[in-house]
Amino acid sequence: MRRVTAMTRALLPPVWRSLPRRALAAAAAVGLLLAAVPRLQSGPPDPLVGLYSLRAAALVLALGLAFLLDDPARHITSAVPVRRPVRVALRVALVAPWAALTWTTALLLVPESSRPPAGALTLEAAATAVLALAAAALSIRRTRTTEPGAAISTWLLATGVTAALLLPPDWTLFVTPDDPHWHSTHDRWTLLLIVAAALAARSVTEPLRGRPFRRPSPEPL
Amino acid sequence: MSTALETPVRAAGPTHRPRPWAAVFALARFEARELRMNMSFLALAVLYMIWIVWQTTQRQSDFPILQNVDRGTQMMPVLIGLAVMLNVNRAVLRSRRRDTDRHFDVLVVEPWRRTIAHVLSAVPAALFIAVCVTVQFTWAALKPGAVGHGSPAELAVGPLTVLLFGVLGALFGRLFLSILAAPILLVLLLFAMTFAAPPSGNNWVSWLYPVVSETGSDAFPSDLLERPAAWHVLYLVGLALLVALLAVLASGGRSTVVKATVAASLALTLVGAVGQSGGTPAGSTPARERASVTPEKIRKCVEHGRSSYCAFPEWTGRTADWAAVVDRVQKLAGGRAGGERLTVEQRLDARYGLESDTLLPPSTEPGRVTVRTEWGGNRVPEFAVAVASVLVAGDEKAGTEVCDARVVTIMWLALGGEADPMSALSNVRVGDGVSGPALVLSPTEPFSMSAEQTRIVAELLKKPRYDVAGKVKAKWTELTSPETSMARVAELLNVSAEGASDGDACDE
């Protein structure tokens, strides 16, 4: 146990250095900018603008988090004695406080009069973020890619817009607070969060047996 | 003796003319294939094709109105455009991410030519959308119930949107070196599309966005739409060209030709933007006023059987479908109503613009039935309800005010001839239930139905049609009299009158 702690401590600086800090900072900045839109608007407070600016902010933050597991040196670090779950957990632990801080600031940036229920929106944001992380973890487990962030961000955006455009009314995820289905919709968000978290937990473990990979690099130069 | 070593003189220079564009096209073909084989693009393309099939095979779209179908093709390509944009962007930045820019620097293909190749790689995706849009529209147009006219300009918007998104991906790739820039900019763009401009299409700002799909409850005749669709296509073409050329400029192609074309495409975009700046008229125009207030000057009347059917010119092919419903309802009616001559009139209120939800006042003239521009699905039983209420109450105004026991006769007449009367009953009622009180929809004003009336109608609809039809015809005068009580109607039609309170909707 002590060995693991010591190793974790030794890992902290290199993991901190290898975080995609610029992407995360850019995402946080744009997210806060989006959350500030209702405050910048003149005229009477519009709860709809507050809701959608927070949703857009959550999506942008999740897009940033999709890059969290990008590690150009992944094939080298796979040889270190600390297992992948610890390394991933370290990354998440280093970023989580900042993400929470950004999200709280975003919530507070929206004026009270046009702020949707904070708990429900936080649930949506958390589900989106965990979904992005789960997809990145799965992509790392299943392929040999070192930087899944770009593909995952495309995938996340496409899924989000598809869900908004095509989900049938009984299954919709994006409702307004005055909708009678607000609570049942958030049960679905909770379910999504649980499924994504389980998927992420399942995907961060290093595969026990080396599976025969397909072609080493499907992406050309 | 010394020998002078002579090197043989080699012909200097290439043996054939350089062909830089061949490399550009080869790269474009390769990148197009990469895009095609990309998982996100493939998945969305499959989803899009499934959506087209699902959309076109819906029961509601058995009677498509082509001037609405063409606009309906515009929104979904945005989804594909999103995938195209992000993938083109990734392709542009790939050489930087993989640190192969240095290798490309020694090639004869300059960076700006590579940009052109990336821009061209979005063209096959746009062509794919064009094919899909054509299939979707042609499929709808070939349906026997199709009416109206599509506009090629509206159909071109989908493919052009995809092209524009792809080109934007290339530009973002040249302007911002981060792979995260394009997704974030896309979110900002979508957010702005939703909120920066008012959602209606009568504003010049909203026409700056690629897709302006205005939908309301009623379909308009195509000459009343007055959307600046052709200008919008010009604007989109100009904008796509402009963005592509800006990407070329940003990657170092600064030749006079490029600069001149940038100026030309900017002019094209501005001309399109100015041309469309009027937007769709929000309120009334002379043509809309005429169609709403004095439609009889525009409508054409066709005789089918006893009755006459007046439709706007584009809808005359649909009068036979209306006649079938009228005949079906009239066959069940007794007395003079069974042979009454009706006039079915198509009406709409276009004075409040494309996106309004207008309520038509019921007609007060005897024997006139209103039909709206939409048809198919729920609109059929709703029209049948209007026909039945005119047959029972005399005119539409009186028909919508009926709340006594005649509601039972009206509803049975309207739905008794349906193939699946119970589902038709739930469809015409607000709330989709077959018990309890509810509002019944009709082409004009809705009317209410009490719980007891609903129970009797539902019971009647479950009985064999010939059984009820005989009783209705035999007791027609009594059934259509406002004085007859609910208990008496139940007795006449041989239905148990268990409702203790003889409640009709008038009391509520």
Side-chain angles (χ1 to χ4, degrees):
Chain A
M1 190 63 216
R2 261 220 323 267
R3 277 230 326 261
V4 171
T5 322
M7 229 158 4
T8 311
R9 199 173 304 139
L11 262 179
L12 263 177
V15 167
W16 173 253
R17 269 202 306 276
S18 68
L19 280 184
R21 271 170 302 183
R22 273 177 58 193
L24 292 170
V30 176
L32 291 180
L33 188 76
L34 275 168
V37 165
R39 205 169 272 274
L40 300 177
Q41 255 188 347
S42 52
D46 185 353
L48 214 58
V49 175
L51 175 69
Y52 280 96
S53 63
L54 274 178
R55 277 190 180 149
L59 182 58
V60 167
L61 289 180
L63 285 177
L65 286 178
F67 288 81
L68 179 66
L69 300 188
D70 280 15
D71 183 4
R74 176 189 151 199
H75 296 311
I76 302 165
T77 51
S78 62
V80 302
V82 180
R83 287 167 173 246
R84 197 193 285 160
V86 180
R87 299 199 307 269
V88 170
L90 211 57
R91 272 175 183 256
V92 173
L94 280 175
V95 165
W98 296 101
L101 187 69
T102 315
W103 178 247
T104 315
T105 319
L107 276 176
L108 292 176
L109 268 177
V110 177
E112 186 117 28
S113 50
S114 53
R115 190 187 306 153
L121 256 281
T122 307
L123 174 66
E124 291 182 13
T128 319
V130 174
L131 200 63
L133 284 177
L138 190 69
S139 151
I140 283 185
R141 188 184 156 97
R142 294 303 200 129
T143 64
R144 287 177 61 86
T145 173
T146 53
E147 291 166 296
I152 296 306
S153 59
T154 305
W155 174 88
L156 189 68
L157 253 183
T159 314
V161 177
T162 313
L165 280 182
L166 284 184
L167 274 185
D170 298 341
W171 284 90
T172 183
L173 284 173
F174 302 99
V175 291
T176 50
D178 49 3
D179 194 295
H181 300 302
W182 176 259
H183 289 289
S184 60
T185 304
H186 283 86
D187 292 345
R188 281 198 286 278
W189 276 105
T190 317
L191 191 71
L192 191 67
L193 176 61
I194 293 170
V195 169
L199 184 70
R202 172 94 182 76
S203 316
V204 287
T205 54
E206 214 134 7
L208 282 180
R209 253 161 288 148
R211 293 182 312 111
F213 286 109
R214 278 167 295 157
R215 271 191 310 135
S217 167
E219 205 170 352
L221 289 177
Chain B
M1 196 176 142
S2 64
T3 49
L5 287 172
E6 281 181 33
T7 44
V9 179
R10 287 240 305 265
T15 48
H16 48 81
R17 287 187 302 113
R19 294 184 303 141
W21 290 108
V24 169
F25 289 123
L27 182 57
R29 265 203 306 278
F30 171 79
E31 291 296 355
R33 183 178 173 280
E34 280 296 305
L35 174 63
R36 199 164 62 229
M37 299 315 255
N38 184 284
M39 212 42 216
S40 56
F41 178 80
L42 266 182
L44 285 178
V46 170
L47 203 63
Y48 175 54
M49 289 192 281
I50 292 174
W51 175 81
I52 288 180
V53 173
W54 178 81
Q55 186 77 8
T56 324
T57 49
Q58 285 286 296
R59 189 161 150 252
Q60 273 87 348
S61 50
D62 280 345
F63 296 90
I65 296 163
L66 298 181
Q67 59 262 33
N68 279 15
V69 171
D70 60 3
R71 262 180 297 150
T73 62
Q74 294 178 353
M75 202 55 214
M76 261 326 127
V78 172
L79 201 61
I80 309 276
L82 187 144
V84 170
M85 171 178 170
L86 295 178
N87 281 313
V88 167
N89 182 262
R90 255 167 80 195
V92 170
L93 290 173
R94 195 193 297 127
S95 60
R96 183 184 156 77
R97 269 193 304 144
R98 303 279 158 119
D99 198 21
T100 46
D101 272 338
R102 290 167 294 139
H103 305 286
F104 291 132
D105 285 347
V106 300
L107 297 180
V108 286
V109 184
E110 302 95 323
W112 63 270
R113 283 195 213 270
R114 293 175 56 81
T115 306
I116 292 181
H118 284 295
V119 164
L120 289 180
S121 72
V123 172
L127 290 180
F128 163 72
I129 299 297
V131 170
C132 287
V133 164
T134 316
V135 167
Q136 188 182 0
F137 182 78
T138 318
W139 190 351
L142 289 180
K143 286 188 177 181
V147 295
H149 300 96
S151 146
E154 301 279 13
L155 292 174
V157 168
L160 281 174
T161 306
V162 171
L163 189 64
L164 180 63
F165 269 105
V167 168
L168 268 178
L171 178 66
F172 289 160
R174 287 303 181 204
L175 290 184
F176 308 99
L177 294 178
S178 163
I179 192 81
L180 184 61
I184 285 186
L185 283 168
L186 191 57
V187 174
L188 290 178
L189 211 67
L190 292 177
F191 182 76
M193 266 171 95
T194 326
F195 279 104
S200 56
N202 47 50
N203 180 290
W204 69 273
V205 182
S206 61
W207 278 93
L208 294 181
Y209 296 130
V211 175
V212 191
S213 52
E214 300 163 279
T215 43
S217 63
D218 272 330
F220 281 20
S222 52
D223 51 338
L224 300 189
L225 287 176
E226 299 175 50
R227 277 165 60 89
W231 287 115
H232 190 59
V233 167
L234 187 70
Y235 164 75
L236 282 181
V237 169
L239 192 62
L241 260 179
L242 178 65
V243 172
L245 289 163
L246 284 181
V248 172
L249 265 185
S251 47
R254 304 264 158 92
S255 67
T256 330
V257 181
V258 174
K259 283 178 188 161
T261 345
V262 166
S265 60
L266 182 65
L268 201 66
T269 313
L270 286 179
V271 168
V274 171
Q276 72 184 6
S277 63
T280 321
S284 195
T285 62
R288 288 182 183 179
E289 180 85 22
R290 201 165 56 243
S292 314
V293 181
T294 52
E296 59 276 3
K297 290 183 185 161
I298 308 171
R299 285 191 304 229
K300 284 199 184 114
C301 293
V302 185
E303 301 279 331
H304 286 284
R306 279 183 295 277
S307 301
S308 138
Y309 299 84
C310 299
F312 289 109
E314 284 174 322
W315 274 265
T316 44
R318 194 165 282 176
T319 50
D321 296 310
W322 302 336
V325 174
V326 170
D327 287 345
R328 196 186 70 203
V329 174
Q330 223 166 2
K331 222 179 263 170
L332 299 177
R336 211 163 52 77
E340 194 176 328
R341 183 188 148 77
L342 295 174
T343 309
V344 174
E345 289 180 331
Q346 190 175 34
R347 290 197 288 149
L348 88 165
D349 195 346
R351 285 171 297 175
Y352 304 98
L354 266 177
E355 289 173 300
S356 65
D357 248 338
T358 51
L359 195 65
L360 290 177
S363 167
T364 49
E365 287 177 59
R368 300 274 166 113
V369 188
T370 301
V371 63
R372 298 182 87 132
T373 47
E374 303 277 347
W375 187 251
N378 290 1
R379 302 296 95 76
V380 181
E382 284 168 26
F383 174 65
V385 167
V387 173
S389 65
V390 169
L391 287 179
V392 170
D395 67 80
E396 231 173 32
K397 179 80 183 151
T400 55
E401 283 161 2
V402 166
C403 50
D404 48 54
R406 287 179 294 168
V407 169
V408 172
T409 317
I410 291 177
M411 292 309 288
W412 186 80
L413 277 187
L415 308 176
E418 283 270 352
D420 184 1
M422 285 313 277
S423 71
L425 176 66
S426 77
N427 284 343
V428 292
R429 284 158 57 93
V430 176
D432 288 353
V434 287
S435 61
L439 279 180
V440 177
L441 295 168
S442 87
T444 56
E445 281 170 7
F447 60 92
S448 52
M449 208 174 158
S450 71
E452 174 70 1
Q453 288 163 351
T454 310
R455 188 188 63 78
I456 295 179
V457 170
E459 213 162 303
L460 284 177
L461 290 177
K462 282 175 194 154
K463 288 188 172 191
R465 189 183 306 155
Y466 56 84
D467 182 23
V468 185
K471 291 192 188 93
V472 168
K473 283 196 172 150
K475 307 281 192 267
W476 180 257
T477 329
E478 206 173 342
L479 283 175
T480 56
S481 152
E483 270 85 51
T484 316
S485 73
M486 191 76 80
R488 176 70 184 141
V489 166
E491 188 191 329
L492 286 175
L493 296 174
N494 201 13
V495 179
S496 59
E498 63 188 26
S501 67
D502 187 17
D504 39 28
C506 311
D507 310 331
E508 286 161 20

